[in-house]
Amino acid sequence: MINRIKKILVKRTIISPWIKETSDWRKDDWRAYLDKTFNELKKTSWTRKFFPDLENLNYEDLDTYPIQYEYPSAPENYPRFLEWKSSGTVKPKVIRFSRRDVIPMIRSIGRFAYNIGKYDAEKGLGITSVEPFATATMVKFGISLIAKKCISIPIYQLEENTKEIVRNAKYDGLVTLVGFLLPFLKKVVSKYDVFKDDAAFILSGDVLTESIVKKIESCIERWGINISIQNFYACAEGGLIAASSTDYRQLIYYPENVGLRILTGKRELIDIMNARKGDVGEAIITIFRELMIPNYALGDLIEVIGYDNSGLPIISV
């Protein structure tokens, strides 16, 4: 998806400077980022067309702004740098990103890779659904950004592509959905040595329960490989929202792509940056794009379980 020269340029000009800039940021710095991003995007022609009332609001005013349950698809003439489809919780939709929209996505993916020690990965493997649906395209885009060499295989073509997977081994990491991992372990990893000793399984798409993790750990222990398990929370509409660093159960909020709020059982909207440990509610996101979408309901239940060293909230989904 991204050739090697472009990959090097993207790392040098977009990702590395961002990692350096944000390395010592605290909660107030990320608050300032959220305020600045909102104030910039509320003025775009696309946002003014769909949400003209945002122009007179600040980011904190979204605590009382109406919740959007319908995803407003970008018009046909919206800039199309990247596009994928989503089957949708309610109905299918096409999600389109401009070149400007993609930059925060690149930054968040790069910072996540850096935080889990895979920023300089040589080889990456993706086991996905089928393009052009979001999970396949997002995974392929993500690993093509970071790994110097990568391949992405649809789960339904796993058997006919096993030789290619083995031929291109060994991998620094695997990105896949939780539901795809165990079949992959059984059909490939149980028979072939395809991962480096310090590789990472980077998982999403379903709740990573303790019983699932124990099953994964029993498999990799049986085969004598040392694998770290990482977890990330993302959505087709907005990209990466939160991800683990040292513990798969603790997902640190990544503010690059979305503002995040919690809708409590009392129908109160709480900015995740103001939330207290133990606050629980539905995930409500503000999608940072040229067509900014405020307070979009994802339908997922999240809980604030702590804060990282910089003060960013840690959630469970």
Side-chain angles (χ1 to χ4, degrees):
M1 182 172 282
I2 300 176
N3 66 41
R4 187 157 186 170
I5 294 175
K6 287 183 178 179
K7 193 177 305 187
I8 292 171
L9 289 174
V10 165
K11 280 192 170 185
R12 287 181 179 175
T13 62
I14 298 177
I15 302 177
S16 292
W18 181 245
I19 291 171
K20 183 178 180 180
E21 179 183 349
T22 59
S23 62
D24 59 353
W25 277 17
R26 310 295 294 177
K27 179 184 275 192
D28 286 346
D29 298 299
W30 285 111
R31 286 184 191 274
Y33 169 83
L34 291 166
D35 291 339
K36 179 183 177 182
T37 303
F38 177 83
N39 287 331
E40 288 175 352
L41 294 176
K42 73 181 184 182
K43 298 173 184 176
T44 69
S45 59
W46 298 104
T47 302
R48 290 202 309 268
K49 180 177 181 180
F50 282 78
F51 299 98
D53 51 343
L54 292 181
E55 194 165 8
N56 298 317
L57 301 181
N58 295 316
Y59 182 71
E60 62 185 18
D61 295 325
L62 295 180
D63 287 349
T64 56
Y65 193 82
I67 296 171
Q68 316 297 315
Y69 291 98
E70 187 80 13
Y71 181 81
S73 296
E76 277 301 313
N77 59 338
Y78 188 80
R80 185 182 310 182
F81 181 79
L82 188 64
E83 181 178 283
W84 50 60
K85 294 181 179 179
S86 170
S87 55
T89 304
V90 178
K91 65 180 183 180
K93 49 186 171 284
V94 175
I95 300 162
R96 190 172 298 139
F97 302 88
S98 71
R99 185 181 296 270
R100 188 258 175 241
D101 298 338
V102 170
I103 291 176
M105 296 173 62
I106 291 172
R107 287 172 169 172
S108 63
I109 293 169
R111 197 163 65 85
F112 172 44
Y114 179 83
N115 287 341
I116 63 171
K118 296 301 173 189
Y119 186 62
D120 295 315
E122 292 287 334
K123 294 182 179 181
L125 173 63
I127 303 298
T128 69
S129 57
V130 62
E131 292 187 88
F133 285 99
T135 51
T137 312
M138 288 172 74
V139 166
K140 189 174 181 179
F141 178 69
I143 60 176
S144 70
L145 270 176
I146 302 301
K148 293 177 182 177
K149 184 176 181 179
C150 60
I151 62 171
S152 184
I153 304 295
I155 186 68
Y156 74 93
Q157 293 180 349
L158 188 57
E159 290 189 8
E160 54 262 51
N161 285 284
T162 296
K163 288 184 178 179
E164 182 184 358
I165 293 172
V166 175
R167 185 173 62 251
N168 285 282
K170 294 183 176 181
Y171 302 97
D172 295 273
L174 165 71
V175 184
T176 191
L177 303 182
V178 173
F180 293 170
L181 179 60
L182 291 177
F184 171 74
L185 292 178
K186 182 179 179 181
K187 293 179 180 179
V188 178
V189 182
S190 65
K191 302 173 183 177
Y192 306 99
D193 184 15
V194 295
F195 289 106
K196 294 180 181 177
D197 192 47
D198 60 346
F201 287 168
I202 304 167
L203 309 173
S204 190
D206 205 346
V207 177
L208 195 55
T209 64
E210 191 171 339
S211 61
I212 292 174
V213 171
K214 284 183 177 179
K215 178 68 173 177
I216 297 169
E217 289 176 338
S218 68
C219 289
I220 60 181
E221 183 179 350
R222 189 185 322 142
W223 300 320
I225 52 178
N226 181 28
I227 302 286
S228 69
I229 298 173
Q230 301 291 345
N231 189 11
F232 70 96
Y233 173 44
C235 66
E237 298 89 345
L240 182 65
I241 300 172
S244 63
S245 178
T246 56
D247 187 333
Y248 72 88
R249 292 162 293 194
Q250 299 183 354
L251 306 182
I252 303 168
Y253 171 42
Y254 277 67
E256 282 93 338
N257 305 306
V258 298
L260 179 60
R261 283 173 165 78
I262 291 177
L263 180 64
T264 69
K266 296 180 180 180
R267 306 297 295 175
E268 178 186 8
L269 268 177
I270 302 174
D271 184 344
I272 196 73
M273 302 295 272
N274 298 326
R276 296 171 297 181
K277 185 177 179 180
D279 282 344
V280 180
E282 182 181 356
I284 307 294
I285 61 172
T286 293
I287 304 170
F288 293 146
R289 301 217 306 269
E290 289 191 68
L291 198 176
M292 182 166 61
I293 303 172
N295 287 0
Y296 179 68
L298 287 181
D300 299 322
L301 193 66
I302 63 174
E303 178 182 1
V304 178
I305 60 174
Y307 310 89
D308 76 350
N309 292 333
S310 70
L312 283 173
I314 301 172
I315 66 171
S316 65
V317 183

